[in-house]
Amino acid sequence: MLKAVQILGWSSGLTIISQRLTKTRNSSSSSTISLKLSTFSSSPRRILSFIPTPMSSSQSGSDPLPKSQTFVSVQSSGDVRKIKFCQWCGGPTKHEIPDGEEKLRAICTHCGKIAYQNPKMVVGCLIVHEEKVLLCKRNIQPSHGLWTLPAGYLEVGESAAEGAMRETWEEAGATVEVISPFAQLDIPLIGQTYVIFLARLKNLDFAPGPESLECRLFGLDDIPFDSLAFSSIYVTLNLYLEDLKKGKVKFHYGTINKRPGSSPSDIRAFTLDYHLQP
């Protein structure tokens, strides 16, 4: 489906020039650790353009983000004991802590290879058009029938921006220009990192793909916050609305920590920790 990706310009992007660790205390005397980054853009921003194979086209207000906890420990994103067989030779595995390491691993009893569990990257686009954002209603599980930004897993052989444009084409039939990165949101509990790019439509010819029931441009006051699919999308849209209120769209980094015992369908059951922005 991906025919070509045209790079219109290059820039050095955001350069980190300082990092400062600050420690503050609230009224209850519990400590909060926060990181602050100062960034600047030293040259014109890069715009990526996606050129797909032709395809036929055929409630209100934002909610505040939950307050961050003082500290949330990093959680394991998978059960290594579920890995019973080697992915390389098919031999049975044993579960031990290898020499020089600290975590339990699945080790093949035949070839000795270790199966490491690494997070997956989800890439997508926050598409803005005339003070509206493009959302897709999911036609697949999980969260069937709920609204989301066009996004999906990054494929081997493509950059994050290319993957975000491909997913946008596959889910919304939309051709877009990627303007800049907007948010990186880590979700340690499920082993995922979301990278969302700010993008604009090249034209208004969009239509739902096989994984979407519907695609629609929502006014900023009409974003369906009560019917969003994931906490990551809830956070992204809230951060964007907050930026607009402040008069400047920034890049955001944060860690989404789901509350222990909460249901995956409860998209508000989280804290946004280590929120960094210029």
Side-chain angles (χ1 to χ4, degrees), residues 118-174:
N118 303 113
K120 292 183 178 293
M121 181 178 288
V122 178
V123 292
C125 288
L126 171 57
I127 303 163
V128 181
H129 177 77
E130 295 181 352
E131 298 186 349
K132 297 180 179 180
V133 295
L134 181 66
L135 299 179
C136 301
K137 181 179 286 188
R138 288 175 62 81
N139 191 32
I140 57 175
Q141 295 292 356
S143 302
H144 182 276
L146 299 179
W147 293 93
T148 185
L149 295 172
Y153 289 118
L154 182 67
E155 299 281 358
V156 173
E158 62 186 5
S159 70
E162 292 168 353
M165 290 186 290
R166 173 185 53 76
E167 287 289 343
T168 299
W169 169 251
E170 291 177 354
E171 296 185 5

Side-chain angles (χ1 to χ4, degrees), residues 80-86 90-95 106-107:
V80 69
R81 294 187 183 277
K82 292 181 178 180
I83 303 176
K84 303 293 186 180
F85 299 96
C86 177
T93 59
K94 60 182 179 180
H95 301 95
I107 307 170

Side-chain angles (χ1 to χ4, degrees), residues 92-107:
T93 59
K94 60 182 179 180
H95 301 95
E96 297 178 353
I97 300 177
D99 293 339
E101 298 195 24
E102 299 177 352
K103 291 186 176 182
L104 192 70
R105 306 290 187 186
I107 307 170

Side-chain angles (χ1 to χ4, degrees), residues 69-77 187-189 255-258 260 271 273-274:
Q69 294 177 347
T70 298
F71 176 76
V72 177
S73 61
V74 176
Q75 304 176 64
S76 174
S77 61
I187 313 178
L189 183 65
T255 300
I256 296 176
N257 285 300
K258 298 290 285 187
T271 59
D273 300 297
Y274 307 109

Side-chain angles (χ1 to χ4, degrees), residues 67-275:
K67 295 182 179 179
S68 296
Q69 294 177 347
T70 298
F71 176 76
V72 177
S73 61
V74 176
Q75 304 176 64
S76 174
S77 61
D79 185 359
V80 69
R81 294 187 183 277
K82 292 181 178 180
I83 303 176
K84 303 293 186 180
F85 299 96
C86 177
Q87 60 181 307
W88 292 280
C89 73
T93 59
K94 60 182 179 180
H95 301 95
E96 297 178 353
I97 300 177
D99 293 339
E101 298 195 24
E102 299 177 352
K103 291 186 176 182
L104 192 70
R105 306 290 187 186
I107 307 170
C108 181
T109 57
H110 286 176
C111 68
K113 290 185 178 180
I114 302 173
Y116 290 98
Q117 295 176 295
N118 303 113
K120 292 183 178 293
M121 181 178 288
V122 178
V123 292
C125 288
L126 171 57
I127 303 163
V128 181
H129 177 77
E130 295 181 352
E131 298 186 349
K132 297 180 179 180
V133 295
L134 181 66
L135 299 179
C136 301
K137 181 179 286 188
R138 288 175 62 81
N139 191 32
I140 57 175
Q141 295 292 356
S143 302
H144 182 276
L146 299 179
W147 293 93
T148 185
L149 295 172
Y153 289 118
L154 182 67
E155 299 281 358
V156 173
E158 62 186 5
S159 70
E162 292 168 353
M165 290 186 290
R166 173 185 53 76
E167 287 289 343
T168 299
W169 169 251
E170 291 177 354
E171 296 185 5
T175 55
V176 298
E177 290 179 340
V178 166
I179 301 170
S180 66
F182 176 71
Q184 177 183 332
L185 301 170
D186 295 335
I187 313 178
L189 183 65
I190 59 175
Q192 291 183 358
T193 289
Y194 274 72
V195 176
I196 303 296
F197 293 89
L198 193 65
R200 60 171 171 249
L201 289 170
K202 296 186 69 176
N203 54 62
L204 292 178
D205 295 328
F206 59 86
E211 296 184 0
S212 301
L213 292 168
E214 182 182 354
C215 298
R216 188 194 308 176
L217 286 167
F218 285 89
L220 301 180
D221 291 332
D222 298 318
I223 295 173
F225 279 97
D226 290 333
S227 302
L228 294 179
F230 308 111
S231 296
S232 54
I233 305 304
Y234 180 88
V235 170
T236 299
L237 291 170
N238 269 287
L239 291 175
Y240 179 68
L241 294 181
E242 289 179 1
D243 281 357
L244 291 181
K245 290 178 182 178
K246 295 175 182 177
K248 183 179 181 181
V249 177
K250 302 178 179 180
F251 173 76
H252 299 266
Y253 168 82
T255 300
I256 296 176
N257 285 300
K258 298 290 285 187
R259 292 173 189 158
S262 63
S263 168
S265 61
D266 187 352
I267 64 169
R268 292 179 173 85
F270 70 91
T271 59
L272 180 62
D273 300 297
Y274 307 109
H275 181 201

